[in-house]
């Protein structure tokens, strides 16, 4: 059968909907509780996106629409996983910017097996779900651990699939950007049948999304902040840094050697480049300023045009489900999910950046170079060079996912329902690394001598020669022989297999009646076991590759047994000033194999003094147990291009403590020339088996307005506050280095996590998970919906069609990371609210007009203006007017037409006005969550329906 897919779901035939339906669209059952009620009646704010929205925006991955929501920060997607060597192609959600790890993703209310990221953390990949089967996507923010368990600190994303498909539906959709550099194709087939005792559905689909390189979007050069030569010092009113465009890379990105060598006028040491025509070095033409900040050139230099910007991806999805009613009160069901996803990443070739030396007795060294080095008293030279002869480094990620579930659902009494489910899910990730180099062989081949017998260049080491070592010639472009490349280059693959076994039992119903209504309860038990088996290639395991990246194998498991209960008590009904008063509570106890026992709870209530207004409040605790990857990541070494915060150019780019702490370390604020300007730094990333459980206190307080004088209108406003303590965090090597000197004292744990050489230069930074972080997120969410017949709205006769409006906004007051010094207990807060990744205000508007067989949708999303860094003591002294990053507003348009032959045609434009990315060094390279890299995008599709 042909595997076909499309992001449309069967929302409705485009026919006129009765008025009572148009005014009740928002009344859908939502998650956040196992007690069913509408999102507006639930005490915890919940927002739902219907399949209609996916169709109107031509969404090919559920994560794409979630990333546009104001409550969702940048997670993992095709647009921001390049250079990660393990995350490429993953699609995972990040609510409240508390991280993917604190967002729980469900499918039909159940957990699914996770897919590992590059640190072996397991989270569900939304690419495993075919968008054609999505009925709606529900998002509940705030802690819901008592209802759904660990990981739901920031909230829950629940993908609800269609469960009653009857007939045949085939879809195809194609889209392309305006320049024809990026396109998507998706096609699929869904078949379903209702029979006397149940329903069966089979879906198969294929999605292919193109890729973009940096050159496709003019991002092969750097647009960034560099030191300002006009700056005379602190408090002079002149910014320390200024933005420059079209910066090339003076070192390591060119296919011929560059360096700092004695080949300037009269043998002066200067920045140079090897000239194949003269077989010697000459001064590098880096522009009027020369090499800027030890890294950038405004003239000759390397580019990154061919590097991946948006990863190409191919995805095949299969979904099958069947249920059979054994009798009137008992149903047997089974479900199968399969996904095969391939993503590709390409970045620059292996390179040297002052990591390899060439001796003056190397026979490939030109005479003029040798003579110049000898005249300067040198017996060798270090250099920078991109070894383009090896080909671009690459990562091909193959991910396969499947899950099998079977269970029973039953009913008894008037209201009681129960279910028992067994589910097994597994993911297999194969990481193919291309065009890596065996560093030991590289260094052997770089150390060449002239064989006195043969008169030929050979490797100096006799042992290396016995292994077939072929010497390399780095002087010039394309000078490394194919034979030498065959000796040094290596492709290697690593594999990670993960699985989850789950057994769950649930029961829910009305316990007894009170004057105000039935007391509703739900309870359940759940057992889960997660397993991970990481098998690195021998190249990685033995640290033989480029950068000496080292990864050790890991084979671990963790299980948890849980019991939970939830109750809803109607206290008052239909009384003066108490149209409805309800109380709700939930409790969960969890016993982890490795983290011990933890519990979480929720107390909630709602009060509607009149039918038009409802006030709601939820107070809860949330927990997150450390993952297998966080506990048992055995460590990996790599290299990263870090900045030394004590660099004179960066002394004013941190807190007010930085200058004094750097001076205490002995660094001259004027003359210190750190090697981070030219070299990468070793980073050692490790796990920590002694991690404790994270705990969070969450609070939401809000109100819902549904005025009877305006049928079809609803408005909600909810304040939220999440305080998380003992957060498990690997804050990153750069932040670790910065924190060492940005905190009030050098006596902090971060200084103990880095090693400096005797000359003061950074040697290695340890980046380990620790229970050190605290987070506080605070803000207000808004949502408004309105559904109406235009004839009623305009007080006109006749069928004028109907409208559906939805507006969602989120105001972020605080997004605070609180660093706690383990030795002193002193806390330092860093509030990121209003910075580039945390806009204080984001909004989303969807407007749809329906008339007969035509549907028109206009949607807009807004990102407020931000700043570069809230922690700058004096922004004007750092980057001046570029401290502010402008706001941006995107608009999408689509039209759908239903034909008499049961065919729906849809066409549209995403990013109608070709906005973004914003013209600022911080946002120029963009991401699909905040700054669009695709540009104006056209799409057209068709959907054929047969049967019911």
């Amino acid at each position: 059968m042909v595997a076909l897919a499309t992001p449309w779901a069967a929302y409705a035939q485009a026919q006129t909907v009765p008025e009572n339906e148009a005014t009740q669209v928002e009344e859908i059952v939502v998650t956040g509780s196992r007690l069913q009620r509408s999102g507006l009646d639930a005490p915890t704010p919940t927002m739902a996106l219907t399949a209609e929205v996916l169709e109107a925006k031509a969404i090919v991955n559920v994560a794409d629409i979630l990333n546009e929501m104001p409550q969702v920060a940048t997670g993992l997607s095709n647009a921001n996983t390049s250079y990660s060597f393990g995350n490429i192609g993953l699609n995972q959600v990040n609510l409240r910017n508390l991280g993917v790890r604190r967002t729980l993703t469900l499918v039909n209310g159940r957990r699914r097996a996770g897919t590992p990221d590059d640190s072996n953390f397991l989270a569900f990949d939304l690419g495993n779900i075919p968008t054609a089967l999505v009925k709606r996507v529900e998002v509940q923010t705030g802690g819901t651990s008592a209802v759904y368990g660990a990981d739901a600190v920031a909230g829950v994303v629940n993908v609800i699939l269609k469960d009653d498909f009857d007939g045949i539906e085939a879809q195809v959709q194609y889209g392309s950007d305006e320049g024809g550099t990026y396109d998507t194709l998706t096609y699929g087939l869904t078949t379903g049948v209702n029979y006397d005792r149940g329903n069966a559905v089979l879906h198969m689909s294929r999605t292919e999304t193109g890729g973009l390189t940096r050159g496709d979007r003019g991002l092969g050069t750097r647009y960034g902040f560099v030191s300002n030569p006009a700056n005379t010092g602190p408090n002079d009113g002149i910014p320390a840094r200024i933005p420059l465009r079209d910066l090339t890379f003076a070192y390591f990105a060119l296919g011929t050697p560059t360096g700092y060598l004695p080949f300037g006028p009269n043998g002066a040491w200067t920045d140079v480049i090897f000239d194949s025509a003269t077989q010697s070095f000459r001064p590098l033409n880096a522009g009027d300023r020369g090499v800027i900040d030890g890294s950038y050139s405004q003239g000759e230099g390397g580019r990154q045009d061919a590097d991946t910007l948006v990863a190409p991806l191919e995805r095949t999805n299969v979904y099958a489900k069947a249920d059979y009613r054994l009798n009137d009160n008992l149903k047997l069901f089974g479900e199968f999910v399969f996904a095969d996803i391939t993503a590709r990443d390409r970045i620059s070739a292996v390179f040297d950046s002052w990591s390899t030396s060439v001796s003056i007795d190397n026979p490939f060294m030109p005479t003029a170079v040798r003579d110049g080095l000898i005249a300067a008293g040198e017996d060798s030279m270090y250099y920078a060079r991109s070894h383009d002869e090896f080909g671009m480094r690459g990562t091909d990620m193959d991910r396969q996912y499947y899950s099998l579930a079977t269970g029973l659902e039953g009913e008894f009494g008037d209201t009681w329902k129960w279910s028992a489910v067994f589910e097994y899910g597994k993911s297999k990730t194969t990481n193919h690394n291309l065009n890596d180099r065996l560093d030991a062989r590289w260094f052997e081949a770089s150390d060449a001598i002239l064989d006195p017998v043969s008169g030929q260049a050979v490797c100096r080491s006799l042992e290396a020669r016995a292994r077939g070592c072929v010497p390399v010639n780095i002087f010039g472009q394309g000078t490394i022989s194919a034979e030498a490349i065959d000796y040094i280059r290596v492709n290697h693959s690593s594999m990670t297999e993960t699985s989850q076994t789950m057994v769950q039992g649930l029961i829910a119903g009305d316990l007894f009646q009170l004057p105000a209504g039935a007391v509703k309860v739900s309870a359940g038990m759940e057992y889960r076991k997660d397993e991970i088996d990481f098998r690195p290639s021998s190249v990685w395991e033995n640290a033989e590759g480029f950068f000496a990246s080292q990864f050790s194998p890991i084979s671990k498991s963790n299980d948890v047994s849980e019991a939970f209960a939830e109750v809803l008590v109607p206290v008052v009904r239909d009384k003066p000033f108490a149209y409805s008063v309800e109380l709700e509570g939930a409790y969960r106890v969890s016993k982890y194999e490795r983290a011990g026992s933890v519990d979480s709870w929720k107390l909630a209530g709602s009060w509607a003094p009149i039918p038009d207004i409802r006030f709601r409040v939820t107070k809860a605790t949330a927990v997150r147990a450390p993952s297998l990857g966080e506990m048992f990541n055995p460590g990996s070494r790599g290299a990263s291009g870090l900045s030394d915060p004590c660099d004179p150019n960066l002394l004013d780019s941190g807190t007010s403590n930085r200058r004094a702490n750097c001076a205490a370390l002995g660094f001259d604020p004027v003359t210190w020339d750190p090697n981070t300007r030219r070299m990468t730094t070793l980073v050692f990333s490790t796990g920590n088996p002694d991690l404790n459980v994270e705990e969070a206190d969450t609070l939401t307080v809000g109100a819902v307005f549904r005025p009877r004088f305006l049928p079809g209108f609803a408005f909600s406003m909810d304040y939220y506050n999440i305080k998380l303590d003992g957060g498990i965090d690997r804050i990153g090597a750069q932040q670790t280095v910065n924190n060492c000197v940005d905190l009030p004292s050098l006596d902090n744990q971060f200084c103990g996590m880095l090693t400096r050489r005797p000359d003061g230069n950074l040697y290695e930074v340890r980046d380990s998970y620790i229970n050190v972080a605290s987070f506080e997120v605070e803000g207000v969410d808004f949502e408004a919906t309105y559904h109406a017949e235009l004839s009623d709205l305009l007080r006109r006769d006749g069928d004028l069609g109907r409208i559906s409006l939805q507006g969602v906004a989120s105001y972020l007051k605080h997004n605070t990371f609180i660093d706690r010094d383990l030795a002193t207990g002193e806390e330092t807060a860093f509030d990121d609210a209003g910075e580039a990744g945390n806009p204080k205000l984001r909004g989303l508007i969807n407007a749809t007009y329906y008339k007969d067989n035509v549907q028109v949708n206009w949607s807009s999303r807004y990102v407020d203006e931000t700043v570069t860094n809230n922690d700058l003591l004096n922004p004007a002294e750092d980057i001046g007017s570029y401290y502010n990053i402008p706001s941006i507003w995107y608009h999408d348009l689509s039209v759908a037409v239903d034909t008499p032959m049961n065919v729906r045609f849809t066409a549209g434009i995403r990013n109608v006005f070709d906005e973004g990315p914003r013209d600022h060094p911080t946002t120029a390279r963009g991401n699909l969550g905040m700054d669009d890299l695709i540009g104006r995008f056209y799409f057209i599709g068709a959907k054929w329906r047969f049967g019911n």
Side-chain angles (χ1 to χ4, degrees):
M1 300 176 66
V2 180
L4 304 161
T6 186
W8 304 322
Y11 177 75
Q13 296 289 341
Q15 306 295 328
T16 302
V17 174
E19 180 178 355
N20 63 330
E21 288 189 32
T23 60
Q24 295 296 323
V25 173
E26 76 276 10
E27 296 292 340
I28 57 178
V29 176
V30 296
T31 189
S33 169
R34 299 189 187 276
L35 305 172
Q36 295 186 346
R37 82 284 303 278
S38 77
L40 293 175
D41 290 333
T44 305
T46 304
M47 195 185 83
L49 295 173
T50 65
E52 181 182 45
V53 176
L54 300 180
E55 177 179 356
K57 297 174 75 68
I59 296 299
V60 298
N61 192 309
V62 176
D64 294 341
I65 187 66
L66 288 170
N67 286 335
E68 294 184 0
M69 292 181 58
Q71 297 88 347
V72 177
T74 303
L76 297 180
S77 72
N78 287 10
N80 62 11
T81 49
S82 185
Y83 287 79
S84 64
F85 298 101
N87 295 335
I88 193 72
L90 276 177
N91 288 272
Q92 297 172 340
V93 183
N94 175 11
L95 284 176
R96 301 291 191 209
N97 209 15
L98 286 174
V100 168
R101 305 179 183 200
R102 299 179 183 97
T103 301
L104 178 60
T105 301
L106 308 172
V107 180
N108 286 340
R110 295 201 309 271
R111 289 175 181 261
R112 303 300 168 108
T115 299
D117 62 10
D118 59 1
S119 59
N120 285 327
F121 177 81
L122 307 181
F124 184 72
D125 184 356
L126 283 165
N128 296 329
I129 297 300
T131 52
L133 282 180
V134 174
K135 186 176 183 179
R136 65 181 182 274
V137 182
E138 303 168 354
V139 178
Q140 182 194 13
T141 53
T144 54
S145 286
V147 178
Y148 288 109
D151 305 333
V153 175
V156 169
V157 173
N158 192 8
V159 181
I160 307 298
L161 305 182
K162 300 176 188 176
D163 59 0
D164 57 355
F165 193 91
D166 185 21
I168 300 175
E169 184 174 272
Q171 314 97 6
V172 62
Q173 178 184 283
Y174 176 76
S176 176
D177 71 327
E178 193 163 73
T181 53
Y182 175 84
D183 61 0
T184 65
L185 174 65
T186 180
Y187 46 96
L189 180 68
T190 307
T191 64
V193 59
N194 287 324
Y195 41 85
D196 288 343
R197 289 185 174 272
N199 173 267
V201 175
L202 173 65
H203 167 88
M204 293 187 294
S205 60
R206 174 76 171 174
T207 300
E208 301 171 4
T209 63
L212 287 175
T213 67
R214 295 197 179 278
D216 291 332
R217 291 296 180 262
L219 298 174
T221 57
R222 184 77 175 177
Y223 177 33
F225 290 109
V226 298
S227 60
N228 185 0
N231 182 35
T232 62
N235 302 317
D236 63 353
I238 301 173
R241 296 185 295 161
I242 56 174
L244 286 182
R245 300 179 187 273
D246 300 323
L247 294 169
T248 58
F249 299 90
Y251 303 119
F252 82 79
L254 286 168
T256 191
T258 57
Y260 187 77
L261 294 168
F263 291 92
N266 300 317
W269 287 79
T270 189
D271 298 297
V272 296
I273 184 171
F274 185 78
D275 190 333
S276 296
T278 63
Q279 286 293 291
S280 185
F281 285 96
R282 61 168 174 80
L284 181 73
N285 181 15
D288 295 339
R289 288 187 59 179
V291 175
I292 301 174
D293 298 342
S295 300
Y296 301 119
S297 168
Q298 291 182 290
E300 290 180 301
R303 302 171 63 94
Q304 294 178 303
D305 288 331
D307 288 10
T308 298
L309 183 64
V310 176
L313 182 142
E314 299 174 1
R315 185 177 79 231
T316 300
N317 292 99
V318 178
Y319 176 84
K321 171 197 167 286
D323 56 64
Y324 184 80
R325 188 167 288 278
L326 300 173
N327 57 48
D328 291 343
N329 297 316
L330 184 62
K331 182 171 68 175
L332 172 69
F333 71 89
E335 179 193 68
F336 172 73
V337 179
F338 172 80
D340 186 284
I341 301 172
T342 299
R344 298 184 302 276
D345 188 20
R346 297 293 183 268
I347 61 175
S348 58
V350 294
F351 59 89
D352 270 291
S353 180
W354 283 270
S355 53
T356 305
S357 66
V358 179
S359 173
I360 58 174
D361 64 353
N362 188 304
F364 295 116
M365 182 177 285
T367 300
V369 175
R370 182 178 294 108
D371 292 345
L373 291 173
I374 293 173
E378 300 292 323
D379 59 7
S380 65
M381 57 162 273
Y382 284 88
Y383 63 93
R385 184 185 192 269
S386 175
H387 306 309
D388 297 338
E389 296 91 337
F390 282 76
M392 296 187 73
R393 284 175 292 159
T395 301
D396 286 354
M397 298 295 297
D398 294 328
R399 295 187 178 92
Q400 291 184 335
Y401 170 90
Y402 70 84
S403 69
L404 292 164
T406 185
L408 292 169
E409 295 179 351
E411 304 171 359
F412 64 91
D414 293 331
T415 63
W416 289 90
K417 296 181 180 182
W418 64 271
S419 66
V421 181
F422 170 82
E423 182 172 318
Y424 178 79
K426 185 171 184 176
S427 73
K428 179 181 178 181
T429 301
T430 305
N431 186 334
H432 303 281
N433 278 267
L434 309 177
N435 297 329
D436 200 353
R437 81 178 186 195
L438 297 171
D439 269 4
R441 292 192 174 191
W442 169 258
F443 294 127
E444 291 171 350
S446 297
D447 188 13
I449 61 171
L450 193 67
D451 188 339
V453 178
S454 66
Q456 301 295 317
V458 296
C459 300
R460 187 186 301 271
S461 168
L462 293 176
E463 294 180 3
R465 276 188 252 172
R467 289 193 299 269
C469 180
V470 179
V472 297
N473 175 15
I474 56 94
F475 292 97
Q477 291 183 318
T479 54
I480 301 177
S481 69
E483 293 78 11
I485 293 172
D486 289 341
Y487 176 70
I488 302 166
R489 184 171 57 188
V490 63
N491 297 329
H492 54 98
S493 299
S494 300
M495 183 179 296
T496 308
E497 291 186 332
T498 66
S499 67
Q500 181 183 91
T501 303
M502 185 189 75
V503 180
Q504 182 189 79
L506 300 173
I507 187 170
D510 294 350
L511 190 61
F512 54 84
Q513 290 287 329
L514 292 176
V519 175
K520 298 179 180 294
V521 297
S522 70
M525 300 183 69
E526 183 171 305
Y527 169 82
R528 297 190 309 276
K529 183 176 183 178
D530 291 312
E531 298 178 271
I532 184 169
D533 184 10
F534 172 52
R535 301 188 293 276
S537 67
S538 61
V539 173
W540 273 2
E541 186 173 358
N542 298 304
E544 297 172 342
F546 186 50
F547 283 146
S549 299
Q550 186 271 329
F551 301 89
S552 300
I554 175 177
S555 181
K556 296 290 182 179
S557 65
N558 192 22
D559 64 26
V560 57
S561 300
E562 299 182 293
F564 47 91
E566 187 175 11
V567 61
L568 172 66
V569 180
V571 179
V572 180
R573 181 81 65 183
D574 295 328
K575 299 295 183 181
F577 301 106
Y579 173 75
S580 173
V581 177
E582 295 180 342
L583 297 178
E584 183 177 326
Y587 178 78
R588 175 180 292 254
V589 60
S590 306
K591 184 177 181 181
Y592 287 89
E593 175 187 358
R594 300 185 183 276
S597 296
V598 297
D599 59 1
S600 54
W601 53 266
K602 177 180 79 171
L603 291 175
S606 65
W607 168 48
I610 58 175
D612 309 61
I613 302 174
R614 178 182 295 271
F615 301 98
R616 56 191 182 186
V617 60
T618 300
K619 175 71 173 176
T621 63
V623 297
R624 185 179 79 86
S627 71
L628 289 169
E630 290 167 325
M631 290 188 291
F632 299 112
N633 189 327
S636 61
R637 272 191 168 84
S640 182
L642 303 181
S643 298
D644 192 328
C646 292
D647 187 322
N649 296 325
L650 301 176
L651 287 175
D652 295 321
S653 298
T655 67
S656 58
N657 304 310
R658 181 175 292 191
R659 278 187 173 269
N661 283 333
C662 288
L665 289 171
F667 298 116
D668 189 284
V670 177
T671 62
W672 170 237
D673 180 23
N675 62 8
T676 50
R677 294 178 174 179
R678 296 169 291 277
M679 300 176 63
T680 56
T681 304
L682 285 176
V683 176
F684 184 41
S685 302
T686 65
N688 182 356
D690 298 322
L691 292 171
N692 295 317
V693 172
E694 296 180 343
E695 297 183 0
D697 293 321
T698 69
L699 173 68
T700 62
V701 180
V704 179
F705 305 93
R706 288 183 288 188
R708 284 168 288 180
F709 64 82
L710 186 58
F713 176 77
F715 173 76
S716 65
M717 177 175 62
D718 293 278
Y719 164 85
Y720 64 88
N721 183 282
I722 302 174
K723 294 180 179 180
L724 183 143
D725 194 29
I728 301 168
D729 202 16
R730 180 186 284 168
I731 62 173
Q734 185 63 66
Q735 191 64 52
T736 297
V737 178
N738 290 351
N739 283 357
C740 171
V741 293
D742 281 346
L743 292 173
S745 167
L746 291 171
D747 185 16
N748 62 70
Q749 77 270 22
F750 296 104
C751 287
M753 296 171 69
L754 56 94
T755 304
R756 290 185 179 269
R757 300 176 187 271
D759 62 1
N761 280 299
L762 284 172
Y763 172 69
E764 183 177 85
V765 180
R766 180 164 55 89
D767 190 16
S768 180
Y769 291 111
I770 48 178
N771 283 102
V772 68
S774 295
F775 299 91
E776 181 174 1
V777 182
E778 183 182 10
V780 183
D781 290 335
F782 306 88
E783 181 179 7
T785 59
Y786 183 57
H787 312 275
E789 296 285 341
L790 276 182
S791 58
D792 295 338
L793 185 63
L794 301 177
R795 303 182 185 278
R796 301 282 297 275
D797 294 331
D799 181 9
L800 301 179
R802 62 188 176 93
I803 59 171
S804 176
L805 305 175
Q806 180 189 37
V808 182
S810 186
Y811 170 74
L812 179 63
K813 183 178 181 181
H814 293 297
N815 191 312
T816 305
F817 165 73
I818 303 171
D819 173 71
R820 181 180 297 111
D821 191 300
L822 296 179
T824 65
E826 185 175 0
E827 294 185 348
T828 304
F830 300 89
D831 192 351
D832 296 335
E835 293 183 352
N838 291 283
K840 286 198 171 184
L841 181 63
R842 291 176 64 190
L844 176 68
I845 299 172
N846 281 306
T848 307
Y849 171 74
Y850 310 84
K851 179 66 169 68
D852 297 328
N853 62 340
V854 177
Q855 173 182 313
V856 181
N857 176 269
W858 182 277
S859 67
S860 301
R861 53 191 173 98
Y862 173 78
V863 179
D864 197 14
E865 65 176 357
T866 56
V867 299
T868 58
N869 188 343
N870 288 334
D871 300 323
L872 294 179
L873 185 64
N874 188 347
E877 286 292 311
D878 181 42
I879 52 177
S881 62
Y882 280 85
Y883 179 68
N884 296 97
I885 304 170
S887 61
I888 194 166
W889 202 323
Y890 296 99
H891 302 276
D892 306 327
L893 173 67
S894 71
V895 178
V897 179
D898 286 321
T899 70
M901 302 300 294
N902 288 327
V903 179
R904 165 172 281 201
F905 293 101
T906 303
I909 308 173
R910 287 209 303 262
N911 196 354
V912 173
F913 301 112
D914 198 20
E915 296 289 339
R918 287 168 286 180
D919 187 26
H920 190 279
T922 305
T923 56
R925 295 199 171 194
N927 65 70
L928 291 183
M930 305 283 184
D931 287 272
D932 188 6
L933 292 166
I934 305 301
R936 187 180 290 121
F937 183 85
Y938 302 88
F939 62 89
I940 187 169
K943 174 164 53 179
W944 294 265
R945 292 174 178 169
F946 309 93
N948 297 323

